[in-house]
Amino acid sequence: MLNRRHIRVKVMQSIYAMHQNGSDNLEKEEKFLFNSIENIGDLYLIMLSALVEIRNSEEDFIAKSQKKHLATAEERNPNNKFLNNKILRILAESDALNSALDERRINNWKLNDDYILLLLEDVKSSEVYAKYMHNKENNFEEDRQFVVDLFTEVVAPNEKLYDYLEDHKLTWVDDIPLVNTLISKQLKQLTLEGKDAFYIPKLYKDADDKEFVRSLFRKTVLNEVELAREFIDKTPNWDTERIAEVDAIILKMAICEFLKFPSIPVKVTINEYLEIAKEYSTPKSSIFINGILDNLIKEYEANNKLVKTGRGLM
């Protein structure tokens, strides 16, 4: 689920939070970092289960409408195409999804069903839904494309849902695009294999990625003064206080990777942190950071200070 860039972003945000809080409790802040990453898995389950709960809410609405004393002909004989959508049924019947929801005790929509009702209203008023329900053809490919479109065009961008997620856990703001992209990709790849067709992806690709979180955080925090010295004299027109704090953290993390992570290629480090700077700092930050890192690399190479092994030589 997580990629290395998102790991770097989470580490950067945790170091920034440490600075803002004036905290020097490494273990406490490291625990917060790992908790914020674990919560990405909860966000994934919440977004995915929203699709199931929207379908369940519509099923409940149709059942109640049929029992009305003066039910209309349409209410007595409703169009059940949405309820019978094969992708939604796979999700609803998925042992993997249901087990994960139980294990993580995800019951957000049971406690906040008003949001599901709002989402259902938006779904039923959307062009995606209208087109799907009026098409008399019924096949797996159509069902799958409908759910993909429904998620990407109606559910994921819903402002009320976004506000709820932001209020529920502020650390999710930067995780939402990652999670939504993953869910969209998974939905596109679903095949008709019954309740076992869906799987819950691992939070970390492997043990190395989880260790990378810990190592990058600790090695940067524990060596901040040393790492800062590496670039302060490379910015004669800037004193420490004039460098944006996010830029300073990005520089320290990048230099940390240069000097303390021999297996990570220099180009990878530079490209990753320049992209992070473009997204999280000032418009000119990436140019500023690129200039400093470029000069440092030349200096390290000249002084044989840059030791890279394996793929790090590339």
Side-chain angles (χ1 to χ4, degrees):
M1 185 181 294
L2 281 175
N3 55 50
R4 283 286 177 106
R5 181 176 300 173
H6 204 70
I7 287 174
R8 289 177 171 98
V9 168
K10 301 301 282 188
V11 171
M12 177 198 72
Q13 290 172 334
S14 291
I15 295 174
Y16 181 81
M18 278 189 77
H19 290 182
Q20 294 299 302
N21 298 332
S23 173
D24 60 358
N25 190 327
L26 186 67
E27 291 186 2
K28 176 184 176 183
E29 300 302 332
E30 183 179 89
K31 184 178 180 180
F32 174 82
L33 167 61
F34 277 105
N35 282 341
S36 72
I37 291 175
E38 288 290 332
N39 286 332
I40 296 174
D42 290 350
L43 173 62
Y44 166 84
L45 294 172
I46 287 170
M47 290 298 294
L48 199 56
S49 63
L51 289 172
V52 176
E53 293 303 328
I54 290 169
R55 180 202 169 278
N56 291 345
S57 183
E58 174 65 359
E59 184 174 43
D60 183 58
F61 173 77
I62 288 176
K64 289 178 179 178
S65 297
Q66 288 178 315
K67 294 178 181 179
K68 287 166 58 177
H69 179 63
L70 296 176
T72 65
E74 184 179 352
E75 288 172 330
R76 286 193 298 270
N77 297 286
N79 181 349
N80 288 323
K81 187 174 182 179
F82 179 68
L83 300 186
N84 294 329
N85 179 281
K86 296 180 181 64
I87 298 296
L88 295 179
R89 292 186 70 87
I90 285 174
L91 294 178
E93 297 168 4
S94 168
D95 289 340
L97 178 56
N98 288 320
S99 294
L101 291 169
D102 289 341
E103 182 180 338
R104 295 295 296 176
R105 298 179 181 178
I106 303 296
N107 59 354
N108 295 62
W109 304 132
K110 303 296 184 186
L111 301 175
N112 300 278
D113 60 347
D114 51 325
Y115 282 94
I116 293 300
L117 293 175
L118 290 171
L119 284 170
L120 176 60
E121 183 179 339
D122 288 347
V123 164
K124 293 174 74 171
S125 63
S126 69
E127 291 184 12
V128 173
Y129 179 86
K131 182 179 178 180
Y132 175 72
M133 296 299 284
H134 283 89
N135 186 357
K136 293 183 179 180
E137 292 184 15
N138 194 12
N139 57 66
F140 183 79
E141 287 71 24
E142 185 206 19
D143 281 0
R144 180 173 55 198
Q145 190 58 52
F146 163 70
V147 176
V148 170
D149 293 341
L150 189 71
F151 182 77
T152 56
E153 296 178 25
V154 182
V155 177
N158 186 278
E159 291 184 5
K160 298 184 184 70
L161 176 59
Y162 183 90
D163 289 342
Y164 165 75
L165 295 172
E166 184 179 17
D167 291 341
H168 188 69
K169 205 171 293 294
L170 187 58
T171 58
W172 280 347
V173 172
D174 294 301
D175 303 328
I176 293 172
L178 174 78
V179 167
N180 287 344
T181 299
L182 172 61
I183 291 175
S184 177
K185 182 178 179 180
Q186 277 193 289
L187 292 173
K188 290 176 183 177
Q189 295 174 344
L190 264 180
T191 56
L192 189 56
E193 296 177 358
K195 65 179 182 179
D196 297 324
F198 192 80
Y199 69 96
I200 305 298
K202 295 179 180 179
L203 189 57
Y204 298 98
K205 184 178 69 174
D206 50 37
D208 288 344
D209 272 5
K210 187 170 184 178
E211 182 55 35
F212 179 63
V213 175
R214 190 185 315 276
S215 295
L216 182 59
F217 178 72
R218 283 181 170 258
K219 289 180 179 180
T220 302
V221 171
L222 293 174
N223 297 282
E224 282 203 78
V225 174
E226 171 194 328
L227 295 169
R229 290 197 191 104
E230 296 289 327
F231 64 84
I232 289 303
D233 62 351
K234 304 295 186 299
T235 56
N237 297 323
W238 296 80
D239 57 39
T240 311
E241 294 180 357
R242 289 184 63 198
I243 299 176
E245 186 162 9
V246 171
D247 291 355
I249 294 171
I250 289 173
L251 283 167
K252 291 171 188 174
M253 290 175 66
I255 296 167
C256 184
E257 286 192 25
F258 289 160
L259 302 178
K260 302 180 184 298
F261 290 81
S263 66
I264 300 179
V266 167
K267 288 184 179 178
V268 169
T269 294
I270 292 176
N271 290 339
E272 290 285 83
Y273 286 107
L274 290 183
E275 289 303 313
I276 291 172
K278 289 176 184 177
E279 186 171 356
Y280 290 93
S281 197
T282 64
K284 295 183 179 179
S285 289
S286 61
I287 299 172
F288 171 70
I289 290 170
N290 187 45
I292 294 175
L293 295 182
D294 188 54
N295 288 334
L296 280 173
I297 289 299
K298 292 176 182 176
E299 179 184 306
Y300 292 159
E301 289 176 340
N303 298 330
N304 293 319
K305 192 174 180 179
L306 193 67
V307 180
K308 291 290 183 179
T309 60
R311 293 189 305 110
L313 295 174
M314 297 172 61

